[in-house]
Amino acid sequence: MDPISDLEFFTRLVRYGSLSALARDLGVTPPAVSARLAALEKRLGVRLLNRTTRRLAMTQEGELYLATGSKLLEDVQELERMVSSSRDVPRGLLKVNATFGFGRRHIAPALSAFRQRCPEVDVQLDLTDRPLNLAESAFDVGIRFGEPPDSRLVARRLAANRRLLCAAPAYLDAHGVPASPDGLRGHRCIVLRENDTAYGTWHFSKGKRHQTVKVHGAMSSNDGEATLQWALDGHGLLLRSQWDVQEHIGSGRLRRVLPDWELPPADIYAVYPERLNLSAKVRVFVDFLEKAIRLP
C-alpha cells in the first residue's frame, strides 16, 4: 500500500479525463489503469469515479479525495524540494504541439537549441492545423494564440502578438481601401479556417465601438502559409498574426488596412497541465521558450 502513489495516480487520472489517455501516458493498457483504480477503490472502501463509455464523473468521495489529496501532494513535493540538494535534471520524452506555421518558424528551432542544452531530453514535435487537447493526446506543452479558455491548464505568455488586417498594394490599388469594417462586405477577403468555431467572422474595436463583420471571399484554407501567399499574390484582404506578416509589411509587399481599429489579441502562450507533478523537462523548457521566442 502506497497512499502517496495512489494519490498521484488518481490526480493524474482526473486531469487526463479518461482511462485511455492516462494509459497512453503511462505506456500501459486501459485495462491496467482500470484495475489500478478498482484496487484503490477497494482499499478505500468507496467508489471514487462513475465510469461511462464517454467520460469519468467524480463521486462526492472522489471530490473529497482529490481536493484534500492534491494539497497533501503539494506539501510533500514542497518538502522534497526544500531538502533536495539539487533540482531535478530535465530528462525523458518531451511532447510538444504547435500550429504549422509558427511551429516550423519558431518552435522547431527553439527545440533544436533546447536539445543541445539538455541532451537527456528527447523531443517530439507534432504540428497541426489547430491546437490539440493536451490531456487526450498526452502532450506536455502546447503553443496557443490568445488567452487559453481551458482553466485546467497553466498558461505562460511567451510573447506579445497582434492580429493585423492587410492586403497587397496591387489589390488595394484595383479595389480601393475600405474606410471602416462595414466596408469589408464589398471586398474579397481571404479566410483562414483555424478552428471549429464559425470562420469568416472578424471582430473590430475602436475605443467603446465594436463591430463584427461576416466577410466573404472566393479563397479559404486551413493553412496560414497558403493564405499569406494568396494575399501576397493580390487575391484579397487577409487577417493574420503580426509575427507572420510584419516582414512583408516592412518590405512594402503588404499594406495594413484599418490600422485605427483593433482586432482580438493573439498573444502567444505556452500551456501545460497544472503545476502539480510538473516535471523538470516541462518547467525548464517553458523557461527556455520565454527567453528564446523573439518576435519583430
Side-chain angles (χ1 to χ4, degrees), residues 131-148:
L132 298 179
N133 183 294
L134 297 189
E136 291 180 1
S137 305
F139 282 95
D140 297 298
V141 180
I143 308 301
R144 302 287 186 269
F145 290 83
E147 191 74 35

Side-chain angles (χ1 to χ4, degrees), residues 114-132:
F114 178 73
R115 180 68 175 75
Q116 292 175 336
R117 178 175 294 187
C118 301
E120 294 189 53
V121 177
D122 296 334
V123 300
Q124 177 181 321
L125 174 62
D126 280 35
L127 300 180
T128 53
D129 64 337
R130 64 193 66 191
L132 298 179

Side-chain angles (χ1 to χ4, degrees), residues 196-251:
D196 294 326
T197 59
Y199 55 87
T201 302
W202 294 351
H203 304 273
F204 297 84
S205 62
K206 187 177 185 180
K208 295 183 178 180
R209 297 171 60 191
H210 301 277
Q211 284 190 268
T212 299
V213 182
K214 179 67 175 177
V215 300
H216 301 279
M219 307 183 79
S220 68
S221 175
N222 68 337
D223 181 66
E225 291 188 14
T227 60
L228 175 58
Q229 186 58 56
W230 293 340
L232 291 168
D233 291 341
H235 287 285
L237 294 151
L238 176 67
L239 193 158
R240 277 301 277 155
S241 284
Q242 182 178 6
W243 70 264
D244 200 21
V245 298
Q246 188 62 53
E247 175 186 351
H248 301 296
I249 292 174
S251 69

